Amino acid sequence: MADLHLMYLNHQNNTIHYIRFGSGPNLLFCLHGYGETGEEFSALAEQLAKTYTVICPDLPLHGKTVWRQAEFLPPDLQLILLSIAEKVMPGTSQWALAGYSMGGRLALTLAQHYTSSITKLILLAPDGLKLNFWYWLTTQTQVGNRLFRQTMNNPNWLFRAMKWARKAGLLNQSIFKFSHRYLDDPEQRNQLYERWTLFRNFRPDTTLLSHLLKSSKLPLLFFFGNYDRIITTRQGERFLRKSGAETRLYIIEAGHRLLKPAFAATIAERIYQQPA
């Protein structure tokens, strides 16, 4: 990997690990998906490294980042990005922001609260465009959170319900496999509970956000996989109709995994086509 640097930031009582690619004149932060690390952006970052200085942090409870606080709030993430920006590009207070899957939900939330800090918003199969009832129940209500904790300790009833829903055609095969990926192992289930609970404060208001994007004329690029059954293109199309002329939506011949090296050049080309 060309021009890659592994770096750390001490933030309050926490240690944030991040990867830096390139030395371009524009700053780009990339927020990874659930259960991943900033390294997932490596292929795309290399494609962008001549124009952007690309920063890919490991989010709390992921990778080499050590997070000791009980909560993680949008102001925490904004302050982390500001602190890293000051280290790598002193005097910079604006940047392009990319988010993949769960990282897309975080990016949407930051765009809502800190619109003026962002020069371009790049969302790849982003979570957060549609309210997920189960995520709301398990993270925003006390009863739901207790049930979530109990289920992660004893998931047998959930496995039976998922199997029934799959047979009844209420749960598609992609989501069925995706769910089992994080539910079959006790440690993975414990991490799921801790991560979902910690990230519960990142809840974008898409109606408000669409108005903010339209008034600010912030460039927004959507990328969706044509065969993605987890986060579908329809979610982006609905948002596109509300968010103004500066929004672009691109379909990649892929499933949910848009950060594979095979798609990096295509995505980078589309990013370059819309200057900040």
Side-chain angles (χ1 to χ4, degrees):
M1 297 180 187
D3 200 13
L4 177 153
H5 303 276
L6 305 179
M7 308 179 78
Y8 291 88
L9 170 76
N10 292 321
H11 170 72
Q12 298 174 359
N13 196 35
N14 312 293
T15 303
I16 309 300
H17 171 259
Y18 61 96
I19 303 174
R20 171 182 173 174
F21 292 88
S23 55
N26 304 296
L27 185 60
L28 168 64
F29 282 104
C30 299
L31 307 179
H32 62 76
Y34 177 88
E36 300 177 343
T37 69
E39 195 169 353
E40 292 294 320
F41 277 93
S42 295
L44 179 59
E46 288 193 22
Q47 293 286 332
L48 299 171
K50 292 183 179 180
T51 300
Y52 289 93
T53 296
V54 184
I55 305 297
C56 308
D58 292 350
L59 295 168
L61 303 185
H62 290 77
K64 298 177 183 178
T65 285
V66 179
W67 190 261
R68 299 182 177 89
Q69 292 174 214
E71 285 198 306
F72 180 49
L73 305 170
D76 291 318
L77 182 54
Q78 177 70 1
L79 183 56
I80 288 168
L81 300 189
L82 279 168
S83 300
I84 295 176
E86 185 60 29
K87 284 186 65 174
V88 303
M89 200 174 287
T92 299
S93 59
Q94 290 184 307
W95 48 76
L97 181 63
Y100 165 70
S101 198
M102 181 193 74
R105 174 160 55 87
L106 274 60
L108 283 164
T109 305
L110 287 186
Q112 176 182 323
H113 293 286
Y114 305 100
T115 313
S116 61
S117 295
I118 302 171
T119 58
K120 179 187 293 185
L121 186 59
I122 304 161
L123 300 172
L124 304 103
D127 185 22
L129 292 175
K130 178 182 178 182
L131 176 65
N132 182 313
F133 171 77
W134 296 109
Y135 185 79
W136 171 84
L137 179 68
T138 57
T139 64
Q140 306 302 316
T141 69
Q142 291 185 353
V143 172
N145 193 254
R146 284 198 297 270
L147 177 62
F148 185 25
R149 174 77 279 180
Q150 293 168 3
T151 299
M152 292 300 97
N153 290 332
N154 184 10
N156 290 333
W157 76 266
L158 179 59
F159 290 148
R160 289 193 296 268
M162 289 170 56
K163 187 176 181 179
W164 174 85
R166 179 72 191 104
K167 287 183 176 180
L170 301 175
L171 188 67
N172 70 58
Q173 184 68 12
S174 295
I175 294 178
F176 184 79
K177 289 182 177 179
F178 186 80
S179 299
H180 270 285
R181 176 182 172 188
Y182 297 109
L183 293 174
D184 286 347
D185 179 70
E187 183 178 352
Q188 290 270 25
R189 293 197 300 270
N190 183 63
Q191 290 176 343
L192 179 64
Y193 173 80
E194 292 182 347
R195 288 166 175 168
W196 271 29
T197 301
L198 185 68
F199 285 80
R200 67 188 182 277
N201 295 297
F202 288 84
R203 306 188 305 273
D205 181 333
T206 55
T207 300
L208 174 59
L209 183 56
S210 64
H211 292 314
L212 288 171
L213 292 175
K214 188 177 292 187
S215 61
S216 68
K217 301 188 186 312
L218 175 67
L220 166 59
L221 284 73
F222 275 129
F223 294 91
F224 289 89
N226 195 32
Y227 309 108
D228 191 345
R229 300 293 300 277
I230 298 168
I231 298 175
T232 64
T233 305
R234 289 194 300 273
Q235 298 179 29
E237 290 172 340
R238 284 194 294 266
F239 192 85
L240 177 66
R241 289 193 289 268
K242 300 185 294 182
S243 55
E246 300 302 318
T247 302
R248 299 287 184 272
L249 189 150
Y250 300 102
I251 307 299
I252 305 297
E253 292 300 306
H256 187 64
R257 311 291 298 180
L258 294 184
L259 294 179
K260 288 182 177 180
F263 311 127
T266 299
I267 293 173
E269 181 181 359
R270 299 293 184 268
I271 292 172
Y272 284 136
Q273 284 175 357
Q274 188 176 24

